């Protein structure tokens, strides 16, 4: 605390910042090739459930370089949910307790799964323009739900899903009212 009186000037000098803890690693394909441009994000593992589908209260991110390497800095000691993803692969999630600088080593992205189907009415005709959600784990889980829409033939598909159980929900598109 610095008390200043009217007209006084006080030089605080140099203020050093704590760089925090660094978490690093490398993203690889299933065949051990580096993944360039992959996204790695961290959030506090104890963020409230309503924030888990978003960036969260305390979130950090990095992009992997040409060798698949990434580094996230400025962390405080805590437990973090680490999520790695890249185009064409299923996301990988791990939970890590971070107390000091740490190298996670190699994180292997998995080939994604494809889930597809067709929505029809009672007569078997296609139903276009419906919202289809794939909810990982259960129908109640809205965190990280993937969404798509049915096409003119009532067809839908989800690409690059992680291996897991999914609940599927089909619903009408929400319509915005004119003001």
């Amino acid at each position: 605390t610095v008390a200043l009186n009217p007209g006084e000037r006080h030089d605080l000098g140099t203020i050093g910042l704590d760089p925090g803890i660094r978490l690093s690693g490398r993203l690889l394909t299933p065949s051990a090739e580096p993944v360039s441009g992959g996204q790695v994000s961290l959030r506090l593992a104890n963020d409230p459930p309503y924030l888990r589908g978003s960036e969260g209260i305390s979130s950090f991110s990095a992009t992997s370089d040409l060798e698949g390497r990434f580094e996230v800095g400025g962390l405080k000691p805590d437990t973090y949910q680490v999520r790695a993803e890249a185009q064409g692969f299923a996301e990988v999630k791990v939970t890590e307790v971070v107390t000091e600088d740490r190298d996670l080593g190699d994180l292997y992205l998995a080939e994604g799964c494809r889930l597809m189907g067709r929505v029809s009415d009672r007569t078997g005709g296609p139903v276009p323009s419906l919202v289809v959600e794939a909810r990982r784990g259960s129908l109640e889980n809205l965190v990280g739900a993937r969404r798509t829409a049915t096409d003119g033939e009532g067809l839908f598909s989800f690409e690059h899903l992680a291996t897991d159980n999914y609940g599927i929900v089909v619903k009408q598109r929400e319509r915005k009212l004119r003001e």
Side-chain angles (χ1 to χ4, degrees):
T1 304
V2 177
L4 294 176
N5 294 315
E8 282 187 342
R9 291 174 55 165
H10 187 81
D11 182 359
L12 295 176
T14 301
I15 299 174
L17 298 177
D18 179 359
I21 297 171
R22 290 187 316 257
L23 192 66
S24 60
R26 190 167 67 146
L27 292 184
L28 299 174
T29 67
S31 60
E33 296 294 321
V35 176
S36 174
Q39 297 298 309
V40 179
S41 60
L42 282 75
R43 67 163 179 79
L44 289 173
N46 61 358
D47 270 353
Y50 59 86
L51 290 176
R52 291 188 185 150
S54 67
E55 288 299 306
I57 294 172
S58 297
S59 62
F60 306 86
S61 63
T63 301
S64 61
D65 65 16
L66 292 174
E67 296 176 350
R69 298 192 184 286
F70 65 88
E71 183 177 292
V72 179
L75 305 174
K76 65 177 185 159
D78 213 323
T79 302
Y80 292 89
Q81 175 89 50
V82 181
R83 185 178 77 194
E85 56 190 342
Q87 184 66 29
F89 298 95
E91 71 179 13
V92 173
K93 289 184 181 179
V94 293
T95 300
E96 293 293 328
V97 177
V98 178
T99 57
E100 60 187 19
D101 287 356
R102 183 156 176 216
D103 185 344
L104 295 176
D106 295 338
L107 293 179
Y108 286 87
L109 296 174
E111 289 188 32
C113 301
R114 184 173 190 215
L115 178 64
M116 58 194 152
R118 181 175 182 265
V119 179
S120 62
D121 60 21
R122 289 187 180 130
T123 66
V127 183
S129 302
L130 293 178
V131 174
V132 182
E133 293 181 347
R135 297 179 180 179
R136 193 170 181 178
S138 72
L139 292 175
E140 291 77 32
N141 185 14
L142 295 176
V143 177
R146 300 267 303 267
R147 290 175 185 81
T148 190
T150 56
D151 66 12
E153 299 297 317
L155 300 172
F156 67 89
S157 70
F158 295 95
E159 306 290 332
H160 314 299
L161 294 175
T163 303
D164 205 342
N165 295 318
Y166 289 86
I168 304 300
V169 175
V170 179
K171 57 187 179 181
Q172 294 283 336
R173 287 183 184 252
E174 294 178 14
R175 298 182 193 275
K176 294 182 181 178
L177 299 176
R178 291 186 182 175
E179 294 181 6

